[in-house]
Amino acid sequence: MTRTERIRELLDEYARQRRQNEADQRRREQDAFARDPQIEALRAQSISLALESMRAAMGEADENKRRDIAADMRKRGLYINGEIRRRLRTLGLPEDYLEERYRCPACRDTGYVGDAPARFCACFEKRLAAMGAERGPDGQTFETFRETIAPEEDGQRDQLAGARKMLEAFADAFPDTPYQMIVLMGAGGLGKSFLLNCVYERVTRREFAALRVTAFRMFEAMRKRHISAEADADEFSAMLETPLLLIDDLGTEPMMRNITVEYLFMLVNERVESGKKTFITTNLTYEQLQERYGERITSRLFDRSRGRAINLKGRDLRLYGIR
């Protein structure tokens, strides 16, 4: 199942949850109204007051009089709501008994937060991760990672153990991490992708939202956004908004004019400015990254005040069983 299909399935689930919320609210209303009919009368009076005040304000040209209408509505509304709460307490019910209840108060079970353009709520991102969206290869976890398979010569094993320790601490501390940006560099076969998958697995197992993409998938999302702001825009928006974005193998994506560098800068810069966490692996050196993407991007990737770069060196571990 693709990410887009998972998103649609999850949005359907949220729609069902909202219908269930409304049905539960109606049952609570019927219960309270049956036990105290005056509560139903007060609710109807509250609704009527709002409608009458709105009509009166729309028909009034004088700004001061419109303010007086609004002030009077608030005063009368507070009295009515206070009387409803008092009667609910008398029945032994909570004061918010008649209000709609949400699984997630932040998005009110819509899955979205913020003004236009809205973004996915953190609860939605967590559910999406739980459904298995963008998961790395099975079995690649910190528990299965064995740095002892690396040769001891030239300090490769100690270096790998140090990287593992730092990244595991990052995953365990997320989202309260000391680093906003991590770039894991080194030639192919040194365990970079395995460690990235370990971080992803640990963070999502702790029920935090994260998104893992290959550099090529990242490029495809950029290309689609460039062609049409509407078509498949959720993929690029998800990369912008997810609390933790993991990009594997940066530098292997196609270089397309007006897309690759421009959208990568937008992605990195927006995430840096909004304080979101990003973890990138690449086979390229600092000099190669600078030549490929330019100073604006590399300066953000390697900003020491915000992040950490880890440069792995040594023999190809795939020869020893780590992939």
Side-chain angles (χ1 to χ4, degrees), residues 56-113:
M58 291 175 64
E60 181 56 67
D62 188 283
E63 178 66 23
N64 290 327
K65 290 183 178 180
R66 287 200 298 270
R67 290 174 181 167
D68 290 341
I69 291 171
D72 182 63
M73 180 188 72
R74 284 193 294 273
K75 182 178 178 180
R76 293 167 62 190
L78 286 172
Y79 171 79
I80 293 171
N81 291 335
E83 182 63 14
I84 291 174
R85 290 194 296 271
R86 185 188 68 77
R87 288 178 174 271
L88 288 171
R89 288 196 302 271
T90 300
L91 294 175
L93 299 173
E95 292 186 354
D96 64 351
Y97 190 65
L98 302 182
E99 297 176 12
E100 188 170 347
R101 296 173 181 173
Y102 305 102
R103 186 170 61 182
C104 176
C107 69
R108 297 190 172 190
D109 295 339
T110 64
Y112 293 97
V113 292

Side-chain angles (χ1 to χ4, degrees), residues 15-34 39-40 43 96-101:
R16 290 193 296 271
Q17 181 65 44
R18 291 196 301 277
R19 291 193 293 270
Q20 183 64 49
N21 295 346
E22 293 168 1
D24 291 343
Q25 182 191 28
R26 286 193 296 270
R27 281 193 291 271
R28 291 195 300 274
E29 287 178 338
Q30 291 166 2
D31 172 51
F33 296 165
I39 293 178
E40 182 175 13
R43 289 275 281 188
D96 64 351
Y97 190 65
L98 302 182
E99 297 176 12
E100 188 170 347
R101 296 173 181 173

Side-chain angles (χ1 to χ4, degrees), residues 272-320:
V272 166
E273 292 301 319
S274 61
K276 295 181 175 65
K277 309 299 193 297
T278 307
F279 178 21
I280 295 172
T281 70
T282 180
N283 288 4
L284 302 182
T285 64
Y286 174 85
E287 291 74 20
Q288 290 170 329
L289 288 167
Q290 190 171 44
E291 181 179 357
R292 181 178 175 88
Y293 301 115
E295 178 63 29
R296 290 198 307 168
I297 291 176
T298 52
S299 66
R300 283 159 178 78
L301 294 180
F302 295 94
D303 184 346
R304 293 184 180 180
S305 67
R306 299 177 185 267
R308 174 80 180 273
I310 306 171
N311 193 2
L312 297 179
K313 298 178 181 180
R315 301 181 186 180
D316 189 337
L317 296 179
R318 289 174 293 199
L319 301 175
Y320 300 86

Side-chain angles (χ1 to χ4, degrees), residues 4 8 46 53 88 91 138 142 165 171-172 183 185 252 273 304 306 318:
T4 299
R8 289 171 182 164
S46 178
S53 299
L88 288 171
L91 294 175
D138 292 337
F142 284 115
K165 182 178 179 180
D172 286 337
V183 180
M185 309 164 65
T252 60
E273 292 301 319
R304 293 184 180 180
R306 299 177 185 267
R318 289 174 293 199

Side-chain angles (χ1 to χ4, degrees), residues 47-233:
I47 295 171
S48 177
L49 171 64
L51 292 174
E52 289 174 3
S53 299
M54 187 181 301
R55 293 193 190 100
M58 291 175 64
E60 181 56 67
D62 188 283
E63 178 66 23
N64 290 327
K65 290 183 178 180
R66 287 200 298 270
R67 290 174 181 167
D68 290 341
I69 291 171
D72 182 63
M73 180 188 72
R74 284 193 294 273
K75 182 178 178 180
R76 293 167 62 190
L78 286 172
Y79 171 79
I80 293 171
N81 291 335
E83 182 63 14
I84 291 174
R85 290 194 296 271
R86 185 188 68 77
R87 288 178 174 271
L88 288 171
R89 288 196 302 271
T90 300
L91 294 175
L93 299 173
E95 292 186 354
D96 64 351
Y97 190 65
L98 302 182
E99 297 176 12
E100 188 170 347
R101 296 173 181 173
Y102 305 102
R103 186 170 61 182
C104 176
C107 69
R108 297 190 172 190
D109 295 339
T110 64
Y112 293 97
V113 292
D115 299 325
R119 62 185 186 279
F120 288 136
C121 182
C123 73
F124 191 93
E125 291 280 10
K126 288 181 182 179
R127 290 284 294 114
L128 197 59
M131 292 171 70
E134 299 294 346
R135 286 203 176 272
D138 292 337
Q140 296 195 356
T141 69
F142 284 115
E143 289 76 12
T144 62
F145 187 85
R146 293 177 295 125
E147 61 267 19
T148 54
I149 204 168
E152 292 186 292
E153 300 93 284
D154 300 322
Q156 183 175 357
R157 182 179 297 179
D158 289 341
Q159 183 186 63
L160 191 61
R164 179 254 175 89
K165 182 178 179 180
M166 194 275 281
L167 292 172
E168 188 168 15
F170 173 89
D172 286 337
F174 184 87
D176 300 319
T177 62
Y179 306 118
Q180 184 182 346
M181 174 78 67
I182 294 179
V183 180
L184 185 57
M185 309 164 65
L190 296 181
K192 299 187 303 299
S193 294
F194 198 119
L195 284 168
L196 179 139
N197 291 328
C198 290
V199 171
Y200 179 86
E201 190 276 336
R202 179 66 60 83
V203 169
T204 54
R205 193 205 309 169
R206 294 178 58 230
E207 297 187 346
F208 288 103
L211 177 61
R212 175 195 180 278
V213 296
T214 62
F216 183 79
R217 284 292 302 275
M218 174 194 71
F219 168 77
E220 279 297 294
M222 294 172 174
R223 184 182 64 82
K224 291 174 182 177
R225 168 60 73 90
H226 184 71
I227 293 172
S228 171
E230 300 298 327
D232 293 302

